[in-house]
Amino acid sequence: MNQKLPNAQTVLILGIVSIVGTCCCTGLVGIICGLIGLNKYKSDKLLYDAKPTEYSDFNNLNTGRILCIIGLALGVIQLLYTIFILATVGVDGYMQQYEQFKNIGR
């Protein structure tokens, strides 16, 4: 009887949260969730490699890994962009741009 890998669902959820968190919050959410997900993937991959016939949900684990990598990459890009903006414009200029974007729909 095949059993499920212990962290396959967790890796998949962390991959989704890393992408959504990067798009909605900050790049740090994507980086943190992506790194945690890749760490959990590594431990489950070792289990799967030891006895591949005993586990049935390796596809979920692999999909979660891909999502974690995408979320990690997006998080790093967003964090670098934020650092670039703060270095060139400064905090005051950034806050002015934020206020302008906030008032666009009004």
Side-chain angles (χ1 to χ4, degrees), residues 13-65:
I13 291 170
L14 284 169
I16 292 169
V17 169
S18 70
I19 292 175
V20 172
T22 297
C23 294
C24 297
C25 299
T26 64
L28 290 176
V29 173
I31 293 171
I32 292 170
C33 290
L35 289 175
I36 293 171
L38 289 176
N39 190 24
K40 290 193 174 290
Y41 166 82
K42 188 172 137 184
S43 64
D44 270 10
K45 177 76 165 121
L46 292 174
L47 283 175
Y48 181 78
D49 287 341
K51 297 178 184 176
T53 57
E54 287 189 19
Y55 299 105
S56 63
D57 60 346
F58 182 71
N59 289 335
N60 282 347
L61 185 68
N62 218 13
T63 303
R65 179 184 139 238

Side-chain angles (χ1 to χ4, degrees), residues 1-2 9 29 32 37 40 51 55 57 64 70-71 78 84 87 97 99-100 106:
M1 180 167 170
N2 289 343
Q9 192 79 16
V29 173
I32 292 170
K40 290 193 174 290
K51 297 178 184 176
Y55 299 105
D57 60 346
I70 292 170
Q78 186 174 7
F84 172 75
Q97 285 181 348
E99 289 297 323
Q100 287 175 353
R106 294 182 184 170

